[in-house]
Amino acid sequence: MPLQRGIYRHYKGQLYQVFSVAQHSETQEAHVVYQCLYGDYSMWIRPLEMFMEQVTLEDGTVCPRFALVQSLA
């Protein structure tokens, strides 16, 4: 798996648990399967490429969209 299972912090501050990377049945595109660790604890998927990309903040700082906080091997 190209992404570690674990707890990630979104650049806006909220925590998420990453469970796995799954492939889209039609396109074979890799998607991250993850869950909010706040609010309704809903499950989400996002393209792996987008999950791992860098974002530019309003002040020009570049940071990862999601950063690993704790590995859950």
Side-chain angles (χ1 to χ4, degrees):
M1 183 167 85
L3 184 69
Q4 284 187 292
R5 289 176 16 131
I7 307 300
Y8 286 76
R9 183 178 311 281
H10 188 265
Y11 76 97
K12 292 182 180 177
Q14 298 289 4
L15 294 176
Y16 298 84
Q17 182 172 348
V18 168
F19 292 97
S20 187
V21 174
Q23 287 187 285
H24 188 285
S25 63
E26 299 295 323
T27 66
Q28 302 303 306
E29 181 182 17
H31 286 74
V32 179
V33 180
Y34 63 104
Q35 181 179 30
C36 301
L37 296 180
Y38 62 92
D40 65 359
Y41 291 82
S42 53
M43 299 291 292
W44 295 86
I45 64 166
R46 179 186 296 256
L48 176 62
E49 185 175 309
M50 182 186 290
F51 189 93
M52 297 184 72
E53 72 186 357
Q54 300 287 310
V55 295
T56 303
L57 306 179
E58 289 182 14
D59 66 3
T61 303
V62 176
C63 64
R65 181 178 297 278
F66 289 90
L68 181 65
V69 174
Q70 180 183 355
S71 178
L72 299 175

